[in-house]
Amino acid sequence: MSAHEFKSPVVRWIDHRLPVFSMLHHTAHEYPTPKNLNYMWNFGSLAGLSLAIMIVTGIVLAMSYTAHVDYAFLSVERIMRDVNHGWLIRYIHMNTASFFFIVIYLHMFRGLYYGSYKAPRELLWILGVVIFLLMMATAFMGYVLPWGQMSFWGATVITNLFSAIPLVGDSIVTLLWGGFSVDNATLNRFFSLHYLMPFLIAGVVVLHIVALHRFGSNNPIGIDSTGPQDTISFHPYYTIKDVFGIAVFLLLLAVVVFFFPNAMGHPDNYIPANPLQTPAHIVPEWYFLPFYAILRAVPDKLGGVLLMFGAIAVLFILPWLDKSPVRSARFRPVFRIFFWLFLVNAIALGYLGGKPAEGVYVILSRIATAWYFVHFLIILPLLSVFETTKPLPKSIAEPVLTGFSSAPEKAFAAPRRL
Amino acid sequence: MLKRTITILLLVLLSSPAVAAGGEVELRSRSWSFSGPFGTYDKASMQRGFQVYTEVCAGCHSMKLIAFRNFIDLGYNESEIKAIASQYEVKDGPNDDGDMFLRAAIPADRMPAPYANDNAARAGNNGALPPDLSLIAKARPNGADYLYSLLSSYKDVPDGKDVPEGLYYNTAYPGHLIAMPQPLYGDDVSFSDGSETTIEAVSADLTQFLMWAAEPKMEARKRIGVAAVFFLCIFVIVSYLAKRRVWADVH
């Protein structure tokens, strides 16, 4: 980190002792960012914003929430009815959770499409998957807190999964429950952990960013920067682009929060939890549905649990499954077809996870589940070997491939719509 | 654009709630004053709905989350609310002698329930528990249309359909067999404003009242929402122009 001379003597005094201003200066001005990032690169900052919104609204909600089976549901309704603008805070918290997952899924699919997980960014990707896992745990426990019917029965179904683990399964479930059924002790520990985990996520986010800054962002072409002609400073170019992304994100969020606040929730969660009455269909929140479909596709409980966790575990080893030296799908014609197939398959899994596990849905779930793993474990390794990739451009600044003079000034002049 | 498409796709895909088992639910929709981004509650209709609730529903169904003070939303003023509350008795105490006692309700009290507890409610209703109605309009898919349809969809049992003792045939109810006897037959109440008292009209008034009970802050929500969306639209445009300007020297 080069020492930068700041004008203000106060800033200089502080920076000499605590180099926060140098750090900011490095991030904003010295940190080189590829000049050709498209809007799919906006979702990182949006994920950070989502996390911030969730933490702030969550802390405010916790001030009026009561983690007790007799009062949890009522305290949430108290927030909705009697706390000043409590309804707004809660609807923001509820719906930003969904938006957070939308953003994260787009962020991940961006990484899949442009090969952002490949060397030297394997750890960056893995830290991202860790964040995703923590998010799922946090969201699951958060959904339990209002203590509605879906909260209770969702918690019962998901915690029961762990009983499939041989030998220690039942002990783990007892530990999760803090007793012998989903009850007050469960609610208390879920509240405690739900409050803790966002801060763990924030910690891993810091590592994610440190790893990102080691080699900088990947880019739509997927080749490394060759020099200053390929990069621009983060500020003001990407700060303003992120502000625009944030504006669009907030607009969409506001439309949902103010006009469709319950569209992504389940009506059953406005019924207080009743351990004696099972809902007709227990469905998790929409963002878990693809994994729920994988879980139910297997007739054996342990097998289903293993596959469901396997669906995430496979993401951890993705950098070593896809060994193709070419990152971006733009230059991988066959991979690109399989990428879109995978995306359609993932959405199909989400759809099937929301349907009752019967008849044709079971068969379709099995096919889609099989395809999920075939894509990662068979297609990607095979493509790494057999795919003929298109020739790569020489540099980011020179996107036109062959038969083009490589004179730098011409390359600079080449207009590139982002 | 891609983000928008995917978001909308997800919304459409996932907002469709799981269809309940058994007989298909047949809903009749109606254009409600509270739907749409500028929707508001119809105060006169809610007052009539409240009257229907007290005269028809309140014998079995509680509304525990609603306090008398909330009726300010229905268009009643403070003294009217005091008068309404004073018609109810609530249990209070213990007093200085340690005894519980009954007193007239005040606006700060919540509406008393018809039964002391769930078991008493079941005992009085053939073993079925009449659900609390405070949140019912949000606790069912398409809540408003569902309630409206449910109240007016008691029909003659079709040939070959077996209806067990204590259940009734209703085409709006999942499975078509409901434990609630038909509550409305037309002309069940008489309104002081001379409004219609057909099953449909009364059901619509009651639905209006129940929707308010479930989502009392809807009007404030939509009012702030319109302003927020308007502001954010401008923010989107300004930030886009700023982005174009900053990037002009890169292109």
Side-chain angles (χ1 to χ4, degrees):
Chain A
M1 203 178 299
S2 64
H4 179 78
E5 273 307 300
F6 294 98
K7 280 197 196 95
S8 156
V10 178
V11 168
R12 265 209 307 276
W13 189 91
I14 296 174
D15 198 67
H16 185 66
R17 287 149 183 85
L18 179 73
V20 281
F21 295 102
S22 292
M23 266 174 67
L24 287 175
H25 186 264
H26 165 74
T27 304
H29 297 290
E30 290 158 13
Y31 172 60
T33 315
K35 62 196 284 188
N36 61 336
L37 300 186
N38 61 29
Y39 277 107
M40 287 308 291
W41 265 264
N42 273 55
F43 295 104
S45 68
L46 292 180
L49 175 72
S50 303
L51 179 63
I53 294 176
M54 292 308 280
I55 288 178
V56 171
T57 52
I59 288 172
V60 176
L61 285 174
M63 294 173 187
S64 301
Y65 171 77
T66 309
H68 186 284
V69 289
D70 292 339
Y71 304 108
F73 188 90
L74 291 174
S75 73
V76 171
E77 276 307 313
R78 186 93 178 165
I79 290 169
M80 293 296 288
R81 290 161 191 272
D82 292 335
V83 173
N84 290 338
H85 290 94
W87 57 269
L88 179 58
I89 304 288
R90 175 169 181 250
Y91 277 156
I92 291 175
H93 196 74
M94 255 170 78
N95 286 295
T96 306
S98 282
F99 271 68
F100 199 175
F101 275 95
I102 293 172
V103 164
I104 285 296
Y105 280 134
L106 290 171
H107 193 59
M108 292 170 79
F109 275 110
R110 193 285 319 273
L112 290 176
Y113 186 83
Y114 293 109
S116 302
Y117 47 84
K118 293 187 185 184
R121 298 187 182 83
E122 300 97 324
L123 279 180
L124 174 60
W125 170 263
I126 287 171
L127 286 167
V129 180
V130 170
I131 294 172
F132 179 52
L133 257 182
L134 288 171
M135 270 178 70
M136 294 210 286
T138 312
F140 162 66
M141 287 190 277
Y143 192 58
V144 175
L145 302 185
W147 210 242
Q149 272 289 69
M150 271 310 156
S151 300
F152 179 87
W153 290 98
T156 304
V157 169
I158 301 298
T159 49
N160 256 315
L161 295 179
F162 291 89
S163 71
I165 301 167
L167 300 173
V168 293
D170 287 329
S171 311
I172 290 177
V173 174
T174 306
L175 196 68
L176 283 172
W177 285 346
F180 300 101
S181 65
V182 175
D183 208 333
N184 198 46
T186 323
L187 180 59
N188 275 301
R189 59 192 54 200
F190 276 23
F191 179 49
S192 169
L193 294 173
H194 182 72
Y195 207 120
L196 165 73
M197 296 187 75
F199 299 98
L200 297 183
I201 293 176
V204 185
V205 166
V206 170
L207 297 180
H208 192 67
I209 292 172
V210 170
L212 171 70
H213 281 222
R214 185 72 181 86
F215 297 101
S217 294
N218 183 29
N219 66 79
I221 296 177
I223 57 172
D224 294 326
S225 303
T226 51
Q229 76 279 6
D230 289 345
T231 60
I232 44 182
S233 67
F234 194 87
H235 181 75
Y237 298 105
Y238 286 108
T239 38
I240 189 66
K241 199 172 176 181
D242 279 343
V243 166
F244 173 58
I246 285 168
V248 174
F249 172 85
L250 290 179
L251 177 61
L252 293 174
L253 178 63
V255 167
V256 173
V257 163
F258 289 108
F259 300 109
F260 309 97
N262 293 304
M264 289 186 279
H266 196 290
D268 275 18
N269 230 27
Y270 282 110
I271 305 170
N274 182 352
L276 300 176
Q277 191 183 39
T278 318
H281 292 292
I282 302 172
V283 281
E285 288 275 83
W286 69 262
Y287 35 79
F288 293 132
L289 290 176
F291 300 99
Y292 196 54
I294 291 173
L295 170 77
R296 295 188 311 176
V298 189
D300 174 60
K301 189 174 175 186
L302 179 59
V305 172
L306 286 177
L307 268 201
M308 186 178 71
F309 285 106
I312 294 166
V314 78
L315 295 174
F316 280 105
I317 56 165
L318 174 60
W320 296 276
L321 292 172
D322 177 7
K323 308 267 285 184
S324 169
V326 177
R327 293 197 190 103
S328 172
R330 283 195 187 167
F331 306 102
R332 302 185 62 190
V334 188
F335 170 83
R336 196 160 62 202
I337 296 167
F338 280 108
F339 169 85
W340 290 110
L341 255 177
F342 177 76
L343 179 67
V344 169
N345 187 61
I347 293 173
L349 275 172
Y351 172 77
L352 292 165
K355 291 287 166 192
E358 57 194 31
V360 69
Y361 296 129
V362 177
I363 298 155
L364 289 173
S365 298
R366 285 179 187 161
I367 295 169
T369 301
W371 186 255
Y372 183 97
F373 287 99
V374 166
H375 176 84
F376 283 117
L377 298 175
I378 297 173
I379 306 275
L380 289 185
L382 286 181
L383 282 184
S384 321
V385 181
F386 292 108
E387 187 181 28
T388 314
T389 56
K390 291 188 196 165
L392 291 172
K394 282 201 190 72
S395 75
I396 293 170
E398 190 196 345
V400 182
L401 302 178
T402 47
F404 191 87
S405 153
S406 60
E409 61 278 5
K410 257 197 157 176
F412 248 110
R416 176 156 190 85
R417 290 288 307 162
L418 290 177
Chain B
M1 194 58 223
L2 181 68
K3 181 191 171 183
R4 207 193 187 100
T5 317
I6 293 176
T7 311
I8 291 168
L9 205 92
L10 281 171
L11 284 175
V12 170
L13 194 72
L14 302 157
S15 59
S16 56
V19 180
E24 287 301 303
V25 172
E26 294 166 22
L27 294 192
R28 285 182 301 139
S29 46
R30 189 184 166 93
S31 79
W32 299 102
S33 68
F34 48 77
S35 42
F38 301 98
T40 52
Y41 291 123
D42 176 345
K43 288 194 167 67
S45 177
M46 283 195 293
Q47 292 193 2
R48 294 194 297 271
F50 172 51
Q51 186 189 336
V52 179
Y53 167 73
T54 16
E55 291 179 16
V56 182
C57 320
C60 305
H61 292 278
S62 59
M63 288 189 83
K64 291 178 190 168
L65 299 178
I66 307 298
F68 294 105
R69 63 183 158 81
N70 297 136
F71 291 147
I72 201 102
D73 294 352
L74 307 191
Y76 292 113
N77 62 33
E78 247 176 271
S79 55
E80 285 170 325
I81 290 172
K82 273 183 191 158
I84 292 170
S86 66
Q87 293 163 11
Y88 291 80
E89 275 196 325
V90 292
K91 197 181 209 180
D92 202 348
N95 61 15
D96 291 346
D97 299 324
D99 299 321
M100 303 303 281
F101 59 94
L102 286 173
R103 62 160 171 81
I106 57 169
D109 287 314
R110 286 169 198 267
M111 302 236 281
Y115 297 101
N117 52 56
D118 285 358
N119 287 1
R122 280 181 205 282
N125 289 283
N126 242 334
L129 177 69
D132 183 90
L133 297 184
S134 314
L135 277 166
I136 201 82
K138 281 203 293 190
R140 300 289 182 272
N142 306 309
D145 286 339
Y146 169 77
L147 293 172
Y148 173 66
S149 309
L150 186 78
L151 291 164
S152 50
S153 293
Y154 284 88
K155 296 195 177 135
D156 293 333
V157 182
D159 292 336
K161 177 92 182 173
D162 189 32
V163 178
E165 182 70 26
L167 291 178
Y168 305 88
Y169 187 74
N170 188 318
T171 53
Y173 191 73
H176 293 183
L177 294 174
I178 187 169
M180 176 171 74
Q182 181 168 351
L184 298 172
Y185 292 88
D187 300 326
D188 309 83
V189 285
S190 64
F191 293 127
S192 58
D193 64 358
S195 289
E196 267 190 86
T197 54
T198 59
I199 296 184
E200 279 77 15
V202 169
S203 305
D205 288 336
L206 184 59
T207 302
Q208 183 89 219
F209 172 69
L210 292 177
M211 193 67 229
W212 162 79
E215 188 71 5
K217 306 294 184 190
M218 183 210 71
E219 290 186 357
R221 166 162 63 78
K222 290 184 175 173
R223 204 167 48 239
I224 298 175
V226 169
V229 167
F230 177 73
F231 169 80
L232 287 169
C233 282
I234 293 172
F235 183 32
V236 167
I237 293 167
V238 169
S239 59
Y240 179 68
L241 293 176
K243 187 257 161 192
R244 285 267 304 236
R245 177 114 186 224
V246 168
W247 278 75
D249 61 340
V250 179
H251 289 301

